[in-house]
């Protein structure tokens, strides 16, 4: 398992922006980049859902609900994964998790994002 650490969550008003960062401080670069990397979220009372993911080094997939508002990016050499979230909505409120390797892979501890109306 790869240790993943998220940061950047917080409280923001609807229409605002946040940028989440995921890092893997104890993992060598080749290992970090050798599997899919993505962001998931889980709202209270709901199942964890995919937000955005790299399916390869360059190919990405987004949930319909965030398409056009969120952007996933990565810095391979620094072992970092980012999620830029713009035009946030109250329904984006959730704990956001960094993931490597899919549902059976490695997970971060999560970072809370709260969007007020």
């Amino acid at each position: 398992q790869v240790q993943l650490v998220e940061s950047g969550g917080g409280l923001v008003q609807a229409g605002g922006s946040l940028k989440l960062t995921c890092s893997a401080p104890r993992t060598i670069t080749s290992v970090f980049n050798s599997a899919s990397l993505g962001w998931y979220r889980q709202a209270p009372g709901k199942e964890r859902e995919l937000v955005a993911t790299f399916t390869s080094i360059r190919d990405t997939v987004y949930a319909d609900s965030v398409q056009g508002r969120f952007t996933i990016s990565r810095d391979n050499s620094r072992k970092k994964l980012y999620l830029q979230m713009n035009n946030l909505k109250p329904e984006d409120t959730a704990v956001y998790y960094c993931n490597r390797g899919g549902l059976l892979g490695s997970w971060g501890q999560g970072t809370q994002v709260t969007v007020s109306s």
Side-chain angles (χ1 to χ4, degrees):
Q1 295 292 321
V2 172
Q3 181 189 25
L4 302 172
V5 180
E6 302 100 335
S7 62
L11 173 64
V12 64
Q13 289 187 332
S17 298
L18 284 173
K19 186 174 184 177
L20 305 183
T21 300
C22 173
S23 61
R26 300 181 180 178
T27 303
I28 61 175
T29 301
S30 61
V31 171
F32 180 72
N33 294 317
S34 65
S36 63
L37 293 169
W39 291 95
Y40 288 71
R41 67 186 181 187
Q42 187 166 18
K46 295 187 178 182
E47 294 185 353
R48 191 171 298 188
E49 63 176 359
L50 175 69
V51 176
T53 186
F54 279 96
T55 55
S56 68
I57 287 294
R58 296 183 178 182
D59 297 324
T60 57
V61 172
Y62 292 89
D64 290 343
S65 59
V66 307
Q67 183 76 46
R69 299 188 297 121
F70 291 10
T71 303
I72 189 171
S73 60
R74 61 196 290 170
D75 185 330
N76 294 333
S77 63
R78 299 179 65 190
K79 301 174 293 178
K80 291 188 183 294
L81 181 72
Y82 305 102
L83 184 68
Q84 177 67 48
M85 305 184 293
N86 298 328
N87 190 22
L88 282 160
K89 303 176 180 181
E91 52 263 42
D92 295 319
T93 295
V95 178
Y96 284 71
Y97 297 91
C98 178
N99 170 267
R100 176 190 173 277
L103 295 180
L104 299 181
S106 301
W107 296 89
Q109 80 287 353
T111 185
Q112 177 70 46
V113 172
T114 303
V115 184
S116 63
S117 57

